[in-house]
């Protein structure tokens, strides 16, 4: 049961990681550290803008999973409509705020000189994919909550292959430079939306969506308010996470374009690791969400233990892979020998980070599936305080200190979640399941 959800989610998430890795590899062929650093800055900018909205996917997944054991397909369809409506409203707000928001974010990320010019070119194009991104988050969350992982996998693979193929053609074939990377992401996002919408509206699921759309009460404030309240904490939690990740970019930029480019490659390796291990987060969201909906405490706890064990095993395999292959992998992505050396000096963190992060990823899924979103926010705030304090002491030790602080941030997040779990279980299952 766990692997039936986790494995497709892993492949899906790894395919998603190909966007960042593929973009870094493509611009690496241009032999320009500033351009490679600009792609990293641009990717972080959209992580701040779009990934912070991942609550649409997470919240939709948990609620759809719970509805599967409580209410059935009609309520699942209503949840999707609410998520899509809120997503479109967020996209409209982002587009209206673009003239002020984008320059502020580029400045916050420390983009200067050539890096700033190239990053602005990339961001100006990709920003307009916001409506597609928001709708895709809600649609994917709906499918994951229904355990329709094979469909999600197929669509994500199509999306990422299209993005990489267009990037290669635009950048290396048509010599469009960094603008080609932006256009490839823009086109692929809306192609993904078209495929997702066509799939979700087929058959009985499409009929359920049409029936829900006819119900005026579905989008009334009384129906939207609980959804918004639940997702408010997820949103704030993700904002805190994005600030922590943005600090990594900002502090990297202060050490110059070589360190910025090197840390950009290391960060994409972290993203690859996180998305791979997030397969267990997806499993926890669905399976623990279903057990929460059925008020089954024994099954809920059993799934936590089983998913953690499998997650640790997968983390060991990822760490072993980096222990053996980190140097050639990092060298293949680097635009210059100096960037390669700077990245390879920090390769040990690629071995440690899977172990530091996996428990937190699993607990994220558990908390989202059970709708314990306030606790999720509090654990992130506590970990961020540890991160800030560690950065204060570790910054004088160079780039090594920066990655030490980030690794301890991941450990602290899981520690706070584990400490809160017994109380949440007692409150969430007062009758003992």
């Amino acid at each position: 049961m766990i692997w039936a959800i986790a494995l497709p989610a892993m492949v899906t998430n790894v395919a998603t990681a190909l966007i960042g890795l593929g973009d870094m590899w493509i611009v690496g062929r241009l032999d320009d550290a500033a351009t490679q650093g600009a792609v990293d800055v641009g990717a972080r900018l959209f992580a701040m803008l779009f990934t912070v909205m991942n609550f649409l996917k997470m919240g939709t997944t948990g609620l759809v999973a719970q509805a599967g054991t409580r209410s059935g397909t009609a309520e699942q369809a209503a949840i999707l409509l609410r998520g899509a409506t809120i997503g479109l409203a967020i996209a409209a707000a982002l587009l209206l705020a673009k003239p002020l928001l984008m320059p502020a974010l580029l400045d916050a990320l420390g983009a200067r000189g050539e890096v700033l010019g190239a990053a602005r070119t990339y961001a100006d194009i990709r920003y307009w994919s916001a409506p597609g991104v928001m709708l895709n988050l809600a649609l994917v969350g709906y499918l994951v909550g229904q355990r329709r992982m094979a469909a999600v996998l197929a669509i994500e693979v199509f999306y990422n292959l299209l993005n990489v193929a267009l990037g290669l053609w635009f950048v290396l074939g048509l010599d469009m430079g960094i603008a080609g990377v932006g256009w490839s992401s823009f086109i692929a996002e809306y192609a993904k939306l078209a495929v997702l919408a066509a799939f979700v509206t087929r058959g009985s699921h499409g009929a359920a969506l049409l029936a829900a759309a006819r119900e005026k009460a579905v989008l009334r404030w009384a129906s939207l308010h609980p959804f918004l309240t639940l997702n408010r904490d997820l949103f704030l939690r993700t904002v805190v996470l994005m600030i922590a990740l943005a600090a990594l970019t900002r502090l990297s930029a202060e050490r110059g374009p070589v360190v910025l480019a090197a840390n950009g490659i290391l960060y994409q390796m972290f993203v690859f690791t996180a998305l791979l291990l997030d397969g267990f987060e997806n499993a926890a969201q669905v399976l623990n969400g279903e057990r929460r909906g059925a008020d089954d405490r024994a099954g809920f706890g059993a799934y936590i233990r089983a998913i953690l064990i499998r997650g640790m095993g997968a983390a060991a395999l990822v760490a072993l892979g980096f222990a053996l292959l980190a140097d050639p992998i990092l060298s293949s992505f680097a635009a210059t020998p100096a960037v390669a050396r700077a990245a390879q000096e920090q390769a040990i963190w690629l071995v440690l980070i899977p172990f530091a992060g996996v428990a937190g990823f699993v607990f994220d899924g558990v908390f989202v599936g059970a709708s314990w979103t306030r606790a999720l926010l509090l654990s992130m705030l506590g970990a961020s305080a540890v991160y800030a304090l560690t950065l204060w002491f570790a910054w004088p030790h160079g780039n090594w200190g920066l990655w030490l602080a980030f690794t301890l941030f991941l450990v602290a997040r899981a520690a706070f979640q584990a400490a809160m779990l017994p109380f949440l279980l007692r409150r969430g299952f007062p009758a003992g399941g």
Side-chain angles (χ1 to χ4, degrees):
M1 189 73 71
I2 294 171
W3 288 110
I5 299 172
L7 278 177
M10 286 179 187
V11 177
T12 298
N13 291 340
V14 169
T16 300
L18 290 176
I19 289 185
L21 293 174
D23 289 349
M24 291 293 286
W25 185 88
I26 290 168
V27 298
R29 304 315 98 200
L30 301 178
D31 297 324
D32 181 40
T35 301
Q36 193 167 50
V39 168
D40 178 56
V41 169
R44 305 291 182 90
L45 184 150
F46 290 105
M48 294 172 68
L49 277 179
F50 295 161
T51 307
V52 77
M53 305 305 172
N54 199 46
F55 72 88
L56 283 170
K57 174 180 175 290
M58 296 170 67
T60 301
T61 295
L63 291 172
V64 167
Q66 290 183 35
T69 53
R70 281 180 177 166
S71 311
T73 57
E75 180 58 23
Q76 289 178 328
I79 291 167
L80 173 58
L81 290 178
R82 291 172 194 137
T85 300
I86 293 168
L88 286 175
I90 292 170
L94 287 175
L95 292 176
L96 289 173
K98 179 177 180 288
L100 297 176
L101 189 58
M102 198 177 78
L105 289 175
L106 287 172
D107 181 68
L109 289 169
R112 300 289 185 272
E114 291 181 77
V115 171
L116 175 61
R120 186 185 292 120
T121 298
Y122 171 79
D124 272 331
I125 298 166
R126 193 176 172 191
Y127 199 103
W128 292 96
S129 65
V133 172
M134 298 303 121
L135 288 174
N136 287 339
L137 287 171
L139 288 165
V140 170
Y142 171 76
L143 292 175
V144 172
Q146 292 184 326
R147 298 198 191 187
R148 299 163 77 184
M149 296 304 303
V152 174
L153 171 59
I155 293 169
E156 292 288 358
V157 169
F158 157 77
Y159 162 60
N160 286 283
L161 289 176
L162 178 63
N163 183 71
V164 172
L166 289 174
L168 288 169
W169 183 33
F170 291 161
V171 176
L172 303 182
L174 300 181
D175 198 26
M176 294 173 63
I178 198 169
V181 178
W183 280 114
S184 67
S185 297
F186 175 88
I187 294 170
E189 198 68 53
Y190 283 104
K192 175 182 175 180
L193 174 60
V195 175
L196 276 169
F199 182 80
V200 166
T201 54
R202 294 174 58 203
S204 61
H205 294 284
L209 285 168
L210 287 174
R214 294 191 190 102
E215 294 288 335
K216 295 181 180 179
V218 167
L219 296 180
R220 286 178 181 166
W221 177 249
S223 299
L224 287 172
H225 185 259
F227 187 93
L228 289 169
T229 301
L230 175 72
N231 285 284
R232 175 195 61 203
D233 293 333
L234 285 175
F235 169 74
L236 293 174
R237 167 259 182 197
T238 311
V239 168
V240 175
L241 175 60
M242 289 302 103
I243 291 172
L245 296 177
L248 189 65
T249 299
R250 178 61 185 254
L251 295 174
S252 298
E254 290 185 8
R255 298 194 182 277
V258 171
V259 171
L260 174 63
N263 282 358
I265 297 170
L266 291 166
Y267 177 76
Q268 291 301 331
M269 294 299 119
F270 160 72
V271 170
F272 176 87
T273 298
L275 291 175
L276 180 66
L277 298 177
D278 263 357
F280 298 103
E281 177 182 349
N282 291 133
Q285 286 177 7
V286 176
L287 297 173
N288 287 93
E290 290 176 350
R291 292 305 90 210
R292 182 70 182 91
D295 199 26
D296 177 10
R297 176 170 178 168
F300 191 91
Y303 273 130
I304 293 176
R305 292 187 293 273
I307 295 171
L308 278 172
I309 290 170
R310 288 159 177 79
M312 285 295 179
L317 291 176
V318 174
L320 178 62
F322 279 127
L324 297 174
L325 301 172
D327 282 357
I329 290 174
L330 295 172
S331 179
S332 71
F333 281 92
T336 67
V339 171
R341 286 193 299 272
Q344 289 165 350
E345 288 172 358
Q346 309 301 326
I348 184 61
W349 300 111
L350 297 180
V351 178
L352 298 177
I353 279 175
F355 295 109
V358 65
F361 301 148
V362 172
F363 285 136
D364 280 352
V366 171
F367 283 36
V368 170
S371 298
W372 295 334
T373 53
R374 177 56 56 87
L376 199 63
L377 171 60
L378 293 175
S379 66
M380 184 62 71
L381 288 171
S384 296
V386 173
Y387 182 44
L389 185 63
T390 309
L391 278 174
W392 178 269
F393 288 105
W395 176 249
H397 297 285
N399 204 27
W400 183 89
L402 184 58
W403 284 102
L404 170 64
F406 184 71
T407 303
L408 290 178
F409 165 67
L410 298 176
V411 173
R413 183 176 66 157
F416 281 117
Q417 290 168 324
M420 298 169 76
L421 188 58
F423 165 76
L424 293 170
L425 286 170
R426 288 193 298 271
R427 188 181 68 177
F429 299 91

